[in-house]
């Protein structure tokens, strides 16, 4: 069985994703969040870091769990109750956690946005969705019917999608930002797209989309953010010659 250094893997991912250069939300805590005894023989990838996904990773024989949403979005103390259960499980199973949020959304090759664009057949991508002094997503000029684009999204996420037909039936300027960017619909529209694809958004975005004349396609927060962790785990596997697996724990949201 192959074995790799946890420190070497974490440092490689930090460089690859330019973790230190990306402005993220408070609590994201990108990078190695929990260490193990120092060696990795199998990598698991999951969208969310939680006790449930840690159990799935351990059951798969992994000693490193790569996630998009880490475990430190809010205060974790005190280490009692469910927090203690998580900590005890990680230590007992020698399971490390590496998290990458916006760095994994933004990456031009391994990122959620780039890979969703590829799945949708969008090419010649340009930077899109300027937030926190950086572009997070991508946009593309093309000609595709709204119905056809919806079919492509449905195939890409393999689950339920929601279409708000607020814009033209033929889409020509499409912007993509995975996750929960629906609440920033006005920002997307101000950057000149006629169609915005993201994971989820609030109820009021339906009326706003109609007012702005923009199509909105929601593919699910979870489903649109499975791409990046899979790609990063595959890259680590290739680089360090250790196996990887995706542990699916869908939220339906």
């Amino acid at each position: 069985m192959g074995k790799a250094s946890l420190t070497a893997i974490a440092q490689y991912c930090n460089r690859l994703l330019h973790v230190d250069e990306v402005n993220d939300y408070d609590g994201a805590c990108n990078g190695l969040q929990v260490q193990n005894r120092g060696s990795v023989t199998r990598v698991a990838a999951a969208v969310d870091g939680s006790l449930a996904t840690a159990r799935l990773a351990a059951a798969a024989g992994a000693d490193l769990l790569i996630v998009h949403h880490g475990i430190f979005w809010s205060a974790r103390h005190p280490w009692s109750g469910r927090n203690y259960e998580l900590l005890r499980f990680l230590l007992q199973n020698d399971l490390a956690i590496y998290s990458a949020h916006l760095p994994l959304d933004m990456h031009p090759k391994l990122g959620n946005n780039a890979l969703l664009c590829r799945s949708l057949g969008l090419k010649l991508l340009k930077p899109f969705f300027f937030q926190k002094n950086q572009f997070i997503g991508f946009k593309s000029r093309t000609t595709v019917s709204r119905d056809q684009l919806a079919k492509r999204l449905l195939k890409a996420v393999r689950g339920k999608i929601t279409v708000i037909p607020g814009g033209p039936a033929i889409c020509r300027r499409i912007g993509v930002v995975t996750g929960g960017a629906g609440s920033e619909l006005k920002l997307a529209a101000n950057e000149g797209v006629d169609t915005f694809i993201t994971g989820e958004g609030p109820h009021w975005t339906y009326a706003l989309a109609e007012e702005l004349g923009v199509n909105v396609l929601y593919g699910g927060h979870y489903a649109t953010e499975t791409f990046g962790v899979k790609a990063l785990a595959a890259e680590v596997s290739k680089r360090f010659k250790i196996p990887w697996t995706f542990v699916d724990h869908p939220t339906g949201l």
Side-chain angles (χ1 to χ4, degrees), residues 205-222:
T205 57
Y206 197 103
L208 181 60
E210 293 179 324
E211 292 175 11
L212 296 172
V214 175
N215 299 310
V216 179
L217 280 67
Y218 290 136
H221 195 138
Y222 177 91

Side-chain angles (χ1 to χ4, degrees), residues 9 13 35 76 87 96 106 117 142 158 160 174 178 203 206 215 217 219 221 250:
I9 291 174
C13 291
Q35 71 179 63
R76 270 285 180 184
L87 178 61
M106 297 165 52
C117 285
T142 188
R158 301 176 184 177
K160 176 185 175 182
I174 302 168
T178 62
H203 170 80
Y206 197 103
N215 299 310
L217 280 67
H221 195 138

